[in-house]
Amino acid sequence: ENHSGIVLISGTINSLASTKKNYKFQILGNRIGLLENSLLDVSGNKGGGEIIIGNRDTLATYIDSKAFLKADAVNTGDGGSINVSATKSTRAYGTFSAKGSLNNGNGGLIDISGNNFLDVRDINTDTTANNGLNGDLLFKSNNILLVSQGYFRNAENDEFDFFQPSKGGTVLDAYTIEKQLSSGNNITIAADSTDSELGNLKADRVYIEPTNNSPITLTFQAANDISFSKGYIQPISNRLGVVLQADTNGSGKGNISLGNGIPYSFKINTKGEKFSASAISILLSGAEIMSSFSNANDSESIVLGVENDSGSQNRDIINKNITNQEKLNYEVSGIDISAKNDILMQQSGIIKENSSAANSGDIKINADSFYIQVGGIENNTSGSGDAGDINFKVNFLSVKSGGTNCVT
C-alpha cells in the first residue's frame, strides 16, 4: 500500500497561547495520525483557540486513546473549537477538551466526522462551562447505526491499519453517547447523504440514560430517515431535551419512525426539557413521548412538526401515548402537533397531566385532516390550576372511537 502523504505526531505541540485568543493550529495531509501521548494545546487566557485536523482532501484520521487535544478558555472567554474530519475513515479515541473559562464564557465545539466511516468508542470529551452555557459535540457520518453494545474491528498501529474503515459502515455505541451526555455536552448525531448513501439514522435497540448535572440537548439529524425500534432515552436526574430532524437535505423523503408496534417498545422522557420532531411523515407505533418533571421551573413543550408535500399520501400515525406531566407550581407548556397533510391516531392517546397549582398549557392540532380511529386527547389538572385548551386547526376531522377531554 502507498503510505505517501502520511502525517504522524507523537509529541507535544503547545501554542503557548495563555495570553492570546483564537490561536489556530491546522494539520493537513492524506492520512493523519495522532499517536500515543501526543498533545495539541491551543488553550488561551482570553478564549480557546482552534484545532483543525484534516479537510476534504484527507482520506483518514486517527486519534489514539492516549492523545490529548485542548482548546480551553482559561480565565475569561468561550471555549475554542476542535475539528477532526476525513472522507474515508475517522477513528477518534482520545481526550478532547473545549471548556469555557473559570470566570465567564460558554463551552466550545468539538466536531468529529468521517464521511464513510466514524468510530468514537471510549472517546472522552468536555465542552462544559462553569459560568456559562455548555458547548456542543457533533458526530457526523453517512448512514449511522446506533447499538447498545458496539462491535468493531481493532486497529493495528504497526501496519497502518488504523487508517482503514471497518466493514459495514458507522456504528455508534449508545454507552459512548450516554457517557458524553453525562459529562455535560450537548450532542448532535448527524447522518449525511452522499452520491451513494441516503443518510439514514437507525437503531434496532438502544438505551441511553445519562446522569447529566445540568439541562442539555440530544439532537438526531438525518438527511433521510430516522428509525428507532426498541429502547429508551431518558435522563436519570436532570433535564434532557430531545430533537429529531429528518429530511435535513430537503429532498422531501425523510421520515421518522419510533417503536416496533409493541406498546411502550420505545420511550422518550425529557424530564421537563423540550421534545420536537420534524419530518415528512412521523410514525409512532408503540412509542411513548413523555415530559415528567418535579422541579419548580417551567417545563418545555412537546412539538411534532411535520412538513409533508401537498401531494403526498404519507400520514403521521401516533400509536401510543404522548404525555406531558408536571407536579409543582408553575405553568405547564403545551403540546403542538402539525402536519401539512394528515394526522392519524390508532390505539393512541395524547395526554397532558398537571397536579400542581399552576395552569396547564394547551394542546394544538394543526393539519389538513385529523383522524382519530381509536384513542383520545386529554388535558387534565388535578391541582388548583386550570386545564389548558384543546385546539384544532384542520379542514377535516373524523372521530371513529374516542374523543377529547379537559378536566380541572
Side-chain angles (χ1 to χ4, degrees):
E1 184 180 357
N2 183 7
H3 292 160
S4 62
I6 293 179
V7 178
L8 299 178
I9 296 175
S10 59
T12 296
I13 299 178
N14 192 324
S15 68
L16 300 177
S18 60
T19 60
K20 298 180 181 180
K21 182 180 180 181
N22 298 329
Y23 191 94
K24 182 177 180 179
F25 184 78
Q26 188 172 21
I27 303 175
L28 301 179
N30 183 273
R31 283 170 288 187
I32 304 168
L34 270 64
L35 305 182
E36 183 177 356
N37 297 324
S38 58
L39 168 64
L40 300 183
D41 190 352
V42 295
S43 299
N45 189 48
K46 297 181 180 180
E50 182 179 7
I51 296 175
I52 299 175
I53 300 176
N55 61 7
R56 65 182 63 185
D57 297 320
T58 301
L59 293 179
T61 55
Y62 170 79
I63 312 297
D64 189 86
S65 61
K66 294 183 180 179
F68 197 0
L69 293 81
K70 296 180 64 177
D72 298 336
V74 181
N75 289 331
T76 62
D78 299 335
S81 65
I82 302 173
N83 185 295
V84 179
S85 64
T87 58
K88 184 179 179 181
S89 172
T90 295
R91 296 178 183 269
Y93 307 137
T95 298
F96 299 75
S97 181
K99 297 185 293 184
S101 68
L102 294 174
N103 298 311
N104 57 51
N106 302 321
L109 169 67
I110 298 173
D111 182 343
I112 302 176
S113 64
N115 290 356
N116 182 61
F117 172 76
L118 176 65
D119 183 2
V120 292
R121 53 181 164 151
D122 299 326
I123 191 174
N124 293 291
T125 62
D126 191 347
T127 64
T128 58
N130 286 338
N131 293 290
L133 300 176
N134 289 354
D136 297 287
L137 171 62
L138 170 63
F139 294 139
K140 184 177 181 180
S141 188
N142 292 334
N143 294 337
I144 297 175
L145 175 64
L146 295 179
V147 297
S148 290
Q149 293 182 341
Y151 49 94
F152 306 93
R153 180 171 64 90
N154 290 330
E156 300 295 337
N157 293 14
D158 57 345
E159 297 179 359
F160 293 96
D161 192 45
F162 50 69
F163 288 133
Q164 302 301 318
S166 294
K167 295 180 179 180
T170 297
V171 177
L172 296 183
D173 190 347
Y175 172 74
T176 297
I177 306 304
E178 178 181 290
K179 179 181 176 183
Q180 309 319 308
L181 290 170
S182 297
S183 297
N185 303 291
N186 296 289
I187 296 181
T188 297
I189 300 173
D192 202 6
S193 61
T194 63
D195 293 337
S196 59
E197 302 290 349
L198 294 176
N200 292 317
L201 181 56
K202 179 181 179 182
D204 292 330
R205 179 178 298 181
V206 62
Y207 302 94
I208 299 175
E209 197 172 27
T211 57
N212 48 296
N213 293 321
S214 59
I216 52 176
T217 299
L218 172 60
T219 301
F220 297 99
Q221 297 178 338
N224 199 49
D225 295 340
I226 297 175
S227 176
F228 296 158
S229 296
K230 185 177 181 180
Y232 55 74
I233 300 174
Q234 55 187 27
I236 290 179
S237 54
N238 218 299
R239 301 161 70 157
L240 175 66
V242 178
V243 178
L244 308 177
Q245 300 172 334
D247 192 42
T248 55
N249 65 355
S251 66
K253 299 179 180 179
N255 304 316
I256 293 175
S257 175
L258 303 180
N260 60 13
I262 300 174
Y264 307 108
S265 53
F266 189 81
K267 302 179 182 180
I268 294 176
N269 189 345
T270 66
K271 296 290 182 71
E273 197 62 20
K274 65 180 178 182
F275 172 84
S276 66
S278 60
I280 299 304
S281 67
I282 295 177
L283 167 64
L284 302 186
S285 181
E288 180 179 67
I289 311 300
M290 177 180 290
S291 178
S292 60
F293 196 50
S294 57
N295 192 298
N297 293 314
D298 292 344
S299 71
E300 298 290 344
S301 60
I302 295 177
V303 180
L304 295 182
V306 184
E307 299 178 352
N308 286 7
D309 294 331
S310 59
S312 173
Q313 297 301 313
N314 292 328
R315 290 179 173 178
D316 313 318
I317 305 176
I318 304 173
N319 283 342
K320 203 51 194 171
N321 291 334
I322 299 178
T323 307
N324 190 332
Q325 298 178 341
E326 301 302 328
K327 298 180 180 178
L328 287 180
N329 300 341
Y330 45 84
E331 193 81 8
V332 180
S333 298
I335 296 176
D336 192 344
I337 304 173
S338 62
K340 271 190 175 181
N341 288 349
D342 302 338
I343 296 176
L344 172 63
M345 292 179 56
Q346 294 178 329
Q347 301 287 347
S348 313
I350 300 175
I351 304 170
K352 290 186 81 282
E353 295 182 350
N354 173 31
S355 59
S356 73
N359 297 327
S360 183
D362 298 332
I363 296 176
K364 299 179 181 180
I365 306 295
N366 187 353
D368 180 63
S369 300
F370 182 39
Y371 301 89
I372 302 177
Q373 292 191 352
V374 179
I377 302 175
E378 296 184 6
N379 195 344
N380 303 329
T381 178
S382 58
S384 58
D386 296 329
D389 297 328
I390 299 176
N391 299 321
F392 296 106
K393 186 178 180 181
V394 298
N395 293 320
F396 178 80
L397 174 63
S398 174
V399 181
K400 182 177 180 181
S401 177
T404 63
N405 189 32
C406 289
V407 177
T408 300

